[in-house]
Amino acid sequence: MLFVVNKEDSMIKQYFAGKFLLLYFFIACSLSISAQKPDSVLNEYATKFPQEKIYIHYDKPYYNAGETIWFKAYLSADNSASSLSKTVYAELINEKGTILQKKIMPVIESGAASFFDLPDSVQSPILYVRAYTAWMLNFDSSLLYLKPVSIISNAAKKTTAVTPVYTLTFFPEGGDLVTDIESLVAFKATDQKGMPVYVTGNIVDSKGNKITSFEPAHDGMGTFAFTPAPGEQYKAVWKDKKGISHETALPTAKNQGAVLSVLRTNKTVTYTLKRSKNATVDFTSFYIVAQMRQQLMYSAKINLASRDEVTASFPTDSLGTGIVQLTVFNANQQPVAERIFFVNNNDYYFNTDLHAVELNLGKRKHNTLQIDVGGRIVTNLSVSVTDESTASPLNDRDNIYSGLLLTSDLKGYVYNPSYYFSSEEDSIAQQLDLVMLTNGWRRFKWEDLQQNKLPKIIYQPENYISLSGNVYGPTPNLLKGQEITAILKTKSSNEFYNMPVSTDGKFSLDGIAFFDTASLYYQFNRDKDKQLTSTSSFSFKVNFANPPAPGNALLRSLYPPAFPDTSTLFKNKLISRILKDEFEEGKKIKSLQAVVVKSKLKSKEQILDEKFTSGFFSRGDSYIFPVEDDPLARSAQTVLSYLQSKVAGLQITMTSPPKVSWRMSVPTFYLNESAAQIDQIQSISMGDVAMIKVFRPPFMSSSLSTGGGGAIAVYLKKGGETTVTNGLDFARLNGYSTVKEFYSPDYESMGDNAPQNDVRSTLYWNPNIILDNDTRRMKVSFFNNDKCKKIRVIIEGLNREGKFSREEKVFE
């Protein structure tokens, strides 16, 4: 929405009375020259530089040494589900700035999930998680996701008393104090950890005369109004919460300038612009621009040649939800005042319903939760279930709403940002405006845009994995029109590609996806006896982004994370000791399979699953059929006739062609983890099949698509298929980080193999709940630990419309 209005009083009345066309024509003509530059540079920035943001949902708020950090990254672009980048990077970084672990993940439905395994020897109380896309690296590094994570170590540490340091900072509304103009001044009082503190004080002039008093209205923030006099210096004389006196100077007032004030109501914003009475000509006419998500929402020319202030309004009820940046330019097109404010039209979320189908919080008892989402829009969710006694939430909390709508656009630290989305009460909206007054906009600077200091694009948005390479040896004439035929071979599939080669030997390929490592077999197309291939040299490179680690100064600028209360901290230290003992005794099994199986051999299903599956096919809710030793498989003519009546809910009708459905959708078929058609599956002899894996709907595949009807994956016996690559040269390529599935023990089937201690604080974690048109309900089951009496369930996610969801409940 774009409003262009001339702020003469009569025209304001006409505009808001609804006479749009005549007014728009008149003002558009009068403003076309003076308004062109701010409008045009903003339009160029919005078109060329869409802004991506990342929010991470962790399974719990803090971790013990030896545990796993499970996380789900959600990717948004301009407050909508992002379709720009298809790869997300996440790094675990220590206090020295060293990258300890790096995960590379494919983006599926604007989400990407992975994990960090913490060594049991970790000593640092703080680690950092940095997340980004390659596209985000083109912009200021402060825009990347970078958060501290609390680590509870069992190591004994010396505690030294720390003297509190309190800071009081002032923020004149609009940016500057100007003499003889009344201004609203916001303030924020914090300690050395960024925590809000309560202070009281007075504003005094250079002679010690009291001008006004102040005290916080919310979390150390508040406001007061006063008019600075020419030639005066002002300071705050204040006392901290211990009664100790301090003094802090206020910003020096300018002799000439403009003061901007903003008043928010439910559906409109009213602003007042005041100028100095002795203003020079460049401060007698102004241009005001309001932008949200780099889109121009409002603009107006203001003529203050014959008066020194003006008040005007514009509607906000048709805007989206998010931060609006209102900027005032003088006659020389220089930004002279700015104010940000938050518009909340409650259009940013969708509802997720959560309730307990089976709740049994006895020792190691079974529980079932049900998740329902209305509508038919594809939805991507993550859910965590934690033991409240050992993973209780901290006072300083972030969530998907505050992370993507608030803190990602603000310069400065916001304490407990999730609070501002906890209710729609007017009081919370007023408190949120204090956050707007005490923090700055950080996406771009108008001065840089006007001077054409635009971001230098080094990284393009990634279309999943891309590789590039060179051919050395042949002349340009020999390379003209050549193609490289390549076979990408993973653990259980072969994918065929053709890569055109330029005359300078360069070639590239993108849009591919595989996990861990793969072999790329290659030769020139139509190269009889490999004559050209054998006389050429080839180089291959997977083009993953590899930015430098964040500097120590940036890490030091972040406030340390909060830690749990003393009781919860003590319980976690006990858990840390148990984890350490189990690790030292060789009892800790990777992939969260914290079950000691001393004498029990792996089942045939487990052996085949480990042998054949990879990536997303190695996890998920599924049935596994080892058909080689199944007498029914020998008598079955086809894969589908074998599966008839074997899987509850899977409907197979042996017509010509066969009809297959699950939950009113058609399953996706895969042959050795490559997408296949039903006739291709039906043509396979059962004697060639090693294993069939049937995934319950919905299913997320390694081809980065989701199937509402589940999936049927057929694996052929290994051996003969290797002849496809016999005699070909190959290169080893690194792909996406290995997938690990969260494992929750099944105490109903363990018997004597159950672990001695179950101290899990995360009882359930699922980062890949995809609900589509046909599947709007999901049930999750888990077993309790030894002592949990209260569980906290948190669900977060987004849908294809770019709306977010969060549901949090405690069951006891």
Side-chain angles (χ1 to χ4, degrees), residues 414-426:
V414 179
Y415 172 76
N416 195 23
S418 65
Y419 166 78
Y420 301 103
F421 296 86
S422 62
S423 169
E424 298 176 9
E425 296 291 331
D426 289 341

Side-chain angles (χ1 to χ4, degrees), residues 123 149 269 271 296 389 491 586 675 677 681 743:
Q123 300 292 320
V149 178
V269 61
Y271 64 88
L296 186 64
S389 67
K491 186 177 179 181
Q677 299 298 318
I681 296 296
Y743 179 80

Side-chain angles (χ1 to χ4, degrees), residues 13 121 134 139 156 189 204 211 304 361 367 407 469 503 531 556 631 694 718 744 790:
K13 294 176 182 178
S121 58
F139 308 97
V204 300
I211 306 301
L304 291 183
L361 297 180
N367 296 267
T407 55
T503 55
Q531 292 183 357
R556 287 196 299 268
V694 180
K718 294 191 173 183
S744 180
K790 181 190 295 186

Side-chain angles (χ1 to χ4, degrees), residues 732-753:
R732 295 289 290 176
L733 305 178
N734 290 320
Y736 287 122
S737 301
T738 302
V739 175
K740 185 172 80 169
E741 185 176 4
F742 181 91
Y743 179 80
S744 180
D746 182 357
Y747 285 122
E748 291 178 352
S749 61
M750 282 184 179
D752 295 336
N753 293 312

Side-chain angles (χ1 to χ4, degrees), residues 21-56:
L21 295 178
L22 177 62
L23 191 60
Y24 180 88
F25 177 80
F26 173 78
I27 297 167
C29 294
S30 66
L31 298 184
S32 60
I33 297 177
S34 62
Q36 185 176 2
K37 192 168 185 179
D39 293 358
S40 61
V41 296
L42 184 61
N43 181 64
E44 180 181 6
Y45 193 88
T47 302
K48 293 183 177 180
F49 309 110
Q51 299 291 291
E52 290 185 318
K53 308 173 187 177
I54 287 177
Y55 165 76
I56 291 183

